[in-house]
Amino acid sequence: STDTKFIAHRGLSSDAPENTEAAFRRATQFNYWGIECDIWETTDHEFAISHDESLSRMCGVDRKVTDMTLEEATSYTVIAGNGRDEYPNEKITSLDTYLSILRDNRNAHAVIELKMNDLSEMSASLLISKIYQYGLADRATFISFNQSSLEAMMKADTSDGMIGYQLVAYNFTQDNMDWCTENGADFSCKYTGIDKEQIDLLHKDDIKVSVWTVDDFYQAYSMIKDNDVDYLTSNTMHFE
């Protein structure tokens, strides 16, 4: 299907260090439908972007983002990742910086993974208000492995169905499908954990299917051509 929408995993992380301003800006230069990031809540109820809770892998610092203020977290320089030599001065990014990049790029959708478990109602409301602040209600999707965090977001959501939600999982299960049906959410699965029959089952229930992280071109082609997935997330670019 030519309708499959492409999502840049942690920004264009094959070109620039993952989840950095450079990776997000690089992704806006191409025709991605979505640019994905991962967020954690800081001690001052702000949101920092990092895949891992600890900064050891990307910054060489054995500290958790969740134990810092946003100002502390964003003071750390990223010392790992692709394109590190080309982008030596990237720091941990704030959600606000990411949202401002998306706001200024009229085509790309924000795809925000909630890494924290059991998001509070207050934090969910803060996130919804940030989406409105940046004018992104019609092009924002929240995704998470954590059902209760998604439920908190849905409860706080005033967008009347504009903001999207996806449950993330390593494998298709009937329980996951039932939860998506009950909550009006779509399903995001590791590409090895789902097959065409299961994708068809989800589609019959009006649930869109996203697969990750598909870096092999032929695997991506098969997912699109044979399995008719709705969204495909990758680190590498599969289109011009």
Side-chain angles (χ1 to χ4, degrees), residues 30 36 58 61 67 120 137 169 184 186 190 197 216:
F30 302 96
E36 187 256 0
M58 293 307 291
V61 178
D67 291 337
S120 72
D186 292 325
K190 186 168 185 177
E197 198 178 320
D216 178 78

Side-chain angles (χ1 to χ4, degrees), residues 9 50 54 80 84 99 139 198 202 217 220 230 233:
H9 188 233
S50 173
S54 166
R84 166 79 183 88
L99 293 175
R139 49 191 181 102
Q198 293 161 342
L202 288 156
F217 176 81
D230 302 284
T233 299

